[in-house]
Amino acid sequence: MSKNLTSRAEDYSKWYNELVVKADLAENSAVRGCMVIKPYGYAIWEKMQAELDKMFKETGHQNAYFPLFVPKSLFEAEEKNAEGFAKECAVVTHYRLQNDPDNPGKLRVDPEAKLEEELVVRPTSEAIIWSTYKNWIQSYRDLPILINQWANVVRWEMRTRLFLRTAEFLWQEGHTAHATKAEAIAEAEQMNNVYAEFAESFMAIPVIQGVKTESERFAGAVETYCIEALMQDGKALQAGTSHFLGQNFAKAFDVKFTNNEGKLDYVWATSWGVSTRLMGALIMTHSDDNGLVLPPNLAPIQVVIVPIYKNDEQLETISEVANTIKNELKVLGVSCKFDNRTTHRPGAKFAQHELQGVPLRIAIGPKDLENKTVELARRDTLTKEIVDLDKVATIAKGLMTEIQESLFKKALDFRNTHITEVNNFEEFKKVLETKTGFISAHWDGTSETEQKIKELTKATIRCIPLNGEKETGSCVFTGNPSSGRVLFAKAY
């Protein structure tokens, strides 16, 4: 597993693409724009799923599953949603193939098998879910409905990048129904908080919580909450969104309920989701020119033990010690792999585990056994130390917390030093060209100004920060009055 990675400084985009493939996370497939997530990459996604699923269930949500296909008439019921996704939809028009009479051994679409109504391959599931909720909801006693779905979706993309933007991707989508506006808004805010907690506590990625501008909102939403992260190249990445949908979908699908006063009213809704794009965020936030750097809380293997030996007798003796350490770590809740492959030399194993971002490596050789010590190597700092054999499990356990916190602090320091306050458009452009990162600037609140800045600089308003101070000023572009600063950045 040769590294030979392009450096981040030389070509960040190429570095990322090479790293995803060489670290055995994913690869392009035979289907244009779609990826194969390989076992090691999927193991990281599984850990993300497990932690998020636990957090969803702790907040009262249940998992369900809805169809992949959405009848076109249902999809177009909520006009803004349909319009927003129309250009990205894959559409099923026929229901069978037949042998091609003009090309023996080949197939063609059966012209007699055209569907009466086209089916959209879900780009998102609001339409099919709200048509279902209509059958589930009659009274306030049926509310709230708190459902999450783990699924795949398809959004036709012309320019794709592994994990960051693919035609098909994996995600979760929450869809909830409420009796009041206040409950629905509280739900949308709560789930954005859950995403922020997950990003910071498990991914070790600091995020800024905010709301999107009208032009950046989810199609069909009244308000879109988001978490925004900053990658090492100074570009922002939207890591998760939570939408307050108002009564838009309830009205589109005629979902009414009898409230506790005996009156009919439309249901209030939310939807929220994160996807395998989080894998891209994880890679780009922490990794270096040597390969992946994984936070222990999401690493499939937290500790790897590599034996150094010259003969079978030495390997047997080292294996006894290694398996003892592995069992001690297991008791402490630390996942450990003993890499006793005889087909690879120690140096090759070191290189592989460094490339794949294993947080901690333990090396044991004959001299270590004599001295009753082992060598510990941290992936995040690339530092090594010799520790007593009888203390290694306890030390390794402590290092899991230390590495997790260290990665978060490093990312936080980078993020904080890359939020730049500017007060005129010349400063704005200069920061984008030289420093990059988030730009905190006044905006006059109009979509026209937002669009013009985007056209001139390719920077977009990533969010209006929820914790931003109310500060009057002048728009960085037009000079018109502004009620507060927003965060601009170039983004993925």
Side-chain angles (χ1 to χ4, degrees), residues 68-106:
L68 173 67
F69 303 113
V70 184
K72 185 166 94 42
S73 59
L74 287 182
F75 186 72
E76 62 193 7
E78 210 295 320
E79 293 179 6
K80 285 186 179 179
N81 190 252
E83 183 183 349
F85 284 102
K87 293 181 180 179
E88 300 175 30
C89 288
V91 184
V92 179
T93 58
H94 292 72
Y95 60 84
R96 70 171 172 239
L97 303 172
Q98 64 177 196
N99 291 323
D100 187 343
D102 300 321
N103 293 288
K106 302 295 182 182

Side-chain angles (χ1 to χ4, degrees), residues 273-289:
V274 294
S275 73
T276 37
R277 173 173 256 233
L278 290 179
M279 291 285 292
L282 190 73
I283 295 161
M284 290 196 291
T285 300
H286 302 303
S287 302
D288 59 25
D289 292 348

